[in-house]
């Protein structure tokens, strides 16, 4: 996967959370976590430390909001 495609996964995760309120919050959060895990896996596969760190940071942020 290309770095730009990995970045798009991170952006999609952010957008999924942007308007996550009420009943939609749980499913949107799960979707975002899945996208970020995929982004992290792909970034690590191509040894892109910057993108991997972006995904890790966002995952940590989500874990802090559990």
């Amino acid at each position: 996967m290309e770095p730009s495609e990995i970045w798009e996964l991170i952006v999609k995760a952010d957008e999924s959370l942007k308007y996550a309120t009420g009943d939609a919050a749980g499913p949107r959060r799960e979707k975002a976590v899945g996208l970020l895990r995929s982004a992290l896996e792909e970034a690590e596969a191509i040894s892109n430390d910057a993108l991997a760190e972006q995904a890790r940071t966002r995952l940590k942020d989500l874990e802090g909001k559990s």
Side-chain angles (χ1 to χ4, degrees):
M1 184 176 274
E2 295 294 319
S4 62
E5 294 171 303
I6 297 167
W7 180 249
E8 279 300 313
L9 290 175
I10 295 170
V11 170
K12 286 180 184 180
D14 287 346
E15 289 174 354
S16 180
L17 294 169
K18 195 174 198 177
Y19 301 107
T21 59
D23 293 340
R28 285 181 177 253
R29 186 179 185 284
E30 289 177 25
K31 179 180 178 180
V33 168
L35 289 167
L36 291 169
R37 287 183 179 153
S38 294
L40 177 57
E41 182 178 305
E42 293 293 337
E44 288 175 340
I46 64 167
S47 299
N48 189 315
D49 295 335
L51 286 173
E53 189 58 32
Q54 285 288 332
R56 272 190 217 99
T57 298
R58 285 167 168 80
L59 282 168
K60 286 177 189 174
D61 288 346
L62 285 175
E63 289 170 1
K65 295 178 182 177
S66 296

